[in-house]
């Protein structure tokens, strides 16, 4: 990629779809089985913590049975071999990018395999269920652990680092996201304002497709290796 030094890659649920992880909005999307406001908001957690914990316990268990796919592997290869700046910003809360070997990675919506103690604020790695009110490994308090996932109405993580990278980007690539959720859906405009070239790789045009210089449509496991190579 000539005169490209700094790359920002944004990924969404579409990059994990071929690993068998439900997306949120297309086909039998995840949210169709659960109304968004029923499970992914602080208000829902306050109203019915058992339902919300069950929803995340199910997904936390499910992702541990899945494997990274060729798109995750291609992104990890690019990360390992790219001598310029590179940042993968994922909206996904699965750990498939890590398991494929990606290093320069930020989870802006948190991670399924982490628990957040609302008593002492500590984050702990967590593989099992939270619904049965386990004790926090840091402070010992029981029943105050929630998924370390950013719900609607909550501030995404790493925003300062993300905007710094967007403002330095020569190339912004959006992979497998519908462009439905902000502030992630606005990153393409930040990158354009910084003079970056913009590319969308997605099964179909996203809600923000018109902001991209170029768009390629098809499955991520075909598009991403083709683009990386
Ligand atoms: C916030 C974690 C402010 C939970 C998630 C305007 C500006 C700012 C905010 C807002 C705004 N308007 C509205 C808001 C509020 C809200 C929002 O954006 N609402 C939407 C619904 C309109 N945003 C927020 O609340 C955010 N917080 O703004 O805070 C603030 C400021 C100060 C102080 C406090 C707060 C927080 C949003 C984060 C919510 N959490 N996830 C969980 O996972 O359970 S969002 C959730 O949606 C996932 O993270 C998911 O990744 C994300 C986006 O969805 P996608 O990844 O794009 O998935 P989707 O199914 O939609 O699309 C998949 C795409 O892949 C499709 O296009 C499909 O065609 C494609 N595809 C499918 N298969 C394949 C494929 N592509 C390639 N290959 C395939 N095989």
């Amino acid at each position: 990629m000539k005169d490209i030094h700094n790359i920002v890659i944004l990924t969404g649920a579409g990059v994990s779809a071929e690993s068998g992880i439900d997306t949120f909005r297309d086909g039998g999307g995840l949210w169709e089985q659960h109304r968004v406001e029923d499970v992914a908001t602080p208000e829902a957690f306050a109203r019915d913590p058992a339902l919300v914990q069950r929803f995340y316990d199910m997904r936390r268990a499910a992702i541990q049975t899945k494997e990274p796919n060729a798109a995750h592997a291609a992104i990890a290869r690019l990360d390992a071999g790219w001598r310029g700046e590179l940042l993968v910003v994922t909206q996904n809360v699965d750990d498939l990018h890590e398991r494929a070997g990606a290093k320069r990675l930020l989870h802006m919506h948190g991670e399924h395999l982490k628990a957040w103690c609302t008593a002492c604020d500590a984050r702990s790695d967590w593989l099992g269920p939270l619904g049965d009110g386990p004790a926090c490994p840091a402070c010992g308090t029981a029943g105050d652990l929630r998924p370390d996932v950013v719900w609607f109405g909550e501030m995404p993580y790493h925003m300062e680092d993300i905007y710094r990278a967007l403002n330095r980007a020569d190339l912004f690539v959006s992979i497998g996201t519908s462009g439905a959720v902000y502030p992630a859906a606005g990153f393409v405009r930040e990158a354009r304002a910084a003079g970056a070239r913009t590319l969308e790789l997605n099964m179909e045009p996203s809600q923000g497709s018109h902001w991209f210089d170029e768009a390629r449509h098809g499955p991520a496991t075909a598009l991403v290796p083709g683009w990386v190579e």
Side-chain angles (χ1 to χ4, degrees), residues 58-96:
M58 171 193 75
R59 291 168 66 198
R60 188 178 310 106
I63 66 164
Q64 296 174 60
T65 68
K66 310 296 183 194
E67 293 301 323
N69 62 51
H72 297 107
I75 291 168
R77 274 199 306 282
L78 179 65
D79 180 14
W82 189 259
R83 284 196 309 283
E85 291 174 21
L86 181 141
L87 179 63
V88 180
V89 180
T90 188
Q91 299 174 88
N92 300 338
V93 289
D94 63 53
D95 64 336
L96 298 185

Side-chain angles (χ1 to χ4, degrees), residues 135-185:
C136 166
C139 73
T141 312
D144 282 343
L145 291 175
R146 60 163 274 188
D148 188 16
V149 160
V150 176
W151 286 326
F152 287 97
E154 294 186 324
M155 194 59 175
Y157 288 136
H158 309 299
M159 292 309 288
E160 216 176 290
D161 292 340
I162 294 168
Y163 282 119
R164 187 176 310 116
L166 289 169
N167 292 328
R168 299 172 53 83
D170 308 305
L171 177 63
F172 175 78
V173 186
S174 175
I175 304 173
T177 180
S178 62
V181 173
Y182 287 84

Side-chain angles (χ1 to χ4, degrees), residues 79-141:
D79 180 14
W82 189 259
R83 284 196 309 283
E85 291 174 21
L86 181 141
L87 179 63
V88 180
V89 180
T90 188
Q91 299 174 88
N92 300 338
V93 289
D94 63 53
D95 64 336
L96 298 185
H97 280 302
E98 292 88 331
R99 282 164 55 199
K103 299 276 182 277
R104 294 181 275 186
L105 171 69
L106 292 178
H107 280 272
M108 66 178 289
H109 291 162
E111 297 173 65
H112 267 323
L113 301 184
K114 283 201 169 35
W116 175 13
C117 179
T118 54
C120 74
D121 216 28
R123 270 67 172 182
S124 313
D125 291 336
W126 202 271
L127 298 178
L130 288 171
D132 46 5
C136 166
C139 73
T141 312

Side-chain angles (χ1 to χ4, degrees), residues 19-41:
S19 295
I21 295 182
D22 283 339
T23 65
F24 294 79
R25 291 171 186 82
D26 63 343
L30 198 62
W31 297 126
E32 290 178 11
Q33 290 135 29
H34 294 275
R35 285 165 8 103
V36 173
E37 54 277 14
D38 290 349
V39 285
T41 66

